[in-house]
């Protein structure tokens, strides 16, 4: 029986998270359910006009995008599953509904072990070419904080670690606000910062979240809907 990957990575600190966050991160492979969040990003995208043409070139990767907007509706789906290499994983698929077009942003977070210690590794984009280690912590208020560390690119047989001067780090924080709306809401804030460029990507907003059963009731540990699968899997770390 699997334990939630965030619980394994955080250890006893998992129980310091707000109860609503513990529920959010409690999905496990084979549960027969997936999570759906719907809400609004107060801000989302790239604020720097000069950088947008470069991001437009990578839009097909479904990792970065050139648009920027405010009060943009979005939807996220979380799918817990065993990846093709036997690792307990969580795949997230986000639909960001800009007025001019819909953008997809997807990633798979997998649990690995290094020297016996659980470690989360995040594979970003439809081809899972960009990979980062996730460094997690819990704030005194019970919020979850995450920082991406030590990014590398997998281009065919090549494994290319990004030097600190070029690497962009993602800083994320997620929490529950019981005072927001009638029944409370989940909140997320993410900033991607590159040392030479500055702020590359930002998204921050709130959403409602619920669990849904899979159509057909599949409870196979490796089940992941076809539309949520990447075009390529990667097992290297």
């Amino acid at each position: 029986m699997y334990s939630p990957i965030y619980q394994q990575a955080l250890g006893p600190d998992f129980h310091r998270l707000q109860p609503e966050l513990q529920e959010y991160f409690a999905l496990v492979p084979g549960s027969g359910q997936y999570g759906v969040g719907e809400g609004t990003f107060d801000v989302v995208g790239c604020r720097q006009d000069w950088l947008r043409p470069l991001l437009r070139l990578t839009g097909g990767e479904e990792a970065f995008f050139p648009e920027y907007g405010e009060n943009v509706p979005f939807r996220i789906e979380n799918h817990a599953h065993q990846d093709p290499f036997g690792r307990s994983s969580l795949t997230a698929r986000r639909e960001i509904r800009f007025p001019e077009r819909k953008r997809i942003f997807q990633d798979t977070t997998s649990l690995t072990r290094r020297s016996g210690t659980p470690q989360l590794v995040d594979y970003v984009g439809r081809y899972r070419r960009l990979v980062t280690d996730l460094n997690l912590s819990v704030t005194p208020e019970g919020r979850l904080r995450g920082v991406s560390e030590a990014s590398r690119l997998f281009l065919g047989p090549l494994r290319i670690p990004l030097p600190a001067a070029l690497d962009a780090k993602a800083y994320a924080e997620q929490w529950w606000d019981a005072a927001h709306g009638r029944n409370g809401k989940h909140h997320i804030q993410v900033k991607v910062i590159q040392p030479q460029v500055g702020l590359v990507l930002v998204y921050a907003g709130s959403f409602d979240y619920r669990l849904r059963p899979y159509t057909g009731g599949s409870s196979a540990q490796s089940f992941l809907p076809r539309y949520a699968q990447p075009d390529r899997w990667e097992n290297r770390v």
Side-chain angles (χ1 to χ4, degrees):
M1 181 66 180
Y2 287 100
S3 297
I5 60 173
Y6 279 78
Q7 182 176 353
Q8 294 187 59
L10 284 168
D13 281 348
F14 183 82
H15 299 289
R16 294 178 48 230
L17 289 171
Q18 295 170 303
E20 294 80 7
L21 288 188
Q22 293 183 45
E23 182 179 356
Y24 181 91
F25 290 108
L27 274 176
V28 294
S31 68
Q33 295 180 309
Y34 66 106
V36 178
E38 293 183 294
T40 302
F41 282 134
D42 301 320
V43 295
V44 58
C46 177
R47 285 175 169 167
Q48 304 196 60
D49 292 340
W50 66 270
L51 187 57
R52 291 176 190 167
L54 296 176
L55 293 179
R56 191 168 289 114
L57 297 175
T58 64
E61 294 282 334
E62 297 185 352
F64 297 98
F65 42 87
E67 290 84 6
Y68 174 77
E70 298 179 357
N71 299 316
V72 177
F74 75 96
R75 172 187 171 95
I76 182 172
E77 291 188 7
N78 290 329
H79 300 272
H81 61 97
Q82 187 182 71
D83 76 3
F85 316 105
R87 297 176 298 187
S88 185
S89 301
L90 185 70
T91 288
R93 185 180 187 273
R94 305 163 189 83
E95 295 182 358
I96 304 168
R97 297 162 181 167
F98 291 103
E100 61 274 19
R101 69 174 298 171
K102 179 176 70 177
R103 286 288 185 181
I104 303 297
F105 176 33
Q106 58 174 300
D107 68 310
T108 295
T109 303
S110 297
L111 183 73
T112 65
R113 289 188 177 271
R114 295 177 182 171
S115 302
T117 301
Q119 170 70 53
L120 294 185
V121 179
D122 196 38
Y123 298 86
V124 181
R126 63 186 294 188
Y127 303 107
R128 303 306 198 254
R129 283 194 271 246
L130 177 63
V131 184
T132 65
D133 296 332
L134 294 184
N135 200 342
L136 303 178
S137 61
V138 180
T139 73
E141 300 82 15
R143 300 182 177 192
L144 179 69
R145 283 183 179 162
V147 180
S148 66
E149 305 275 4
S151 299
R152 50 268 186 205
L153 288 172
F154 290 109
L155 302 176
L158 300 178
R159 182 186 190 278
I160 307 174
L162 296 181
L166 298 178
D167 193 6
K169 286 190 176 183
Y171 300 86
E173 184 164 309
Q174 187 166 337
W175 69 97
W176 169 262
D177 183 357
H180 190 152
R182 179 179 300 177
N183 299 311
K185 285 185 181 290
H186 286 274
H187 286 253
I188 182 74
Q189 177 177 286
V190 176
K191 295 180 179 180
V192 180
I193 299 174
Q194 202 277 338
Q196 311 303 321
V197 172
L199 186 63
V200 176
L201 181 71
V202 62
Y203 57 91
S206 59
F207 59 98
D208 297 309
Y209 190 74
R210 61 194 181 281
L211 295 178
R212 286 183 173 177
Y214 283 118
T215 301
S218 177
S219 59
Q221 292 179 343
S222 60
F223 179 73
L224 180 64
R226 181 65 191 94
Y227 66 85
Q229 295 179 24
D231 287 5
R232 174 179 170 275
W233 291 100
E234 177 61 69
N235 68 333
R236 291 171 291 178
V237 295

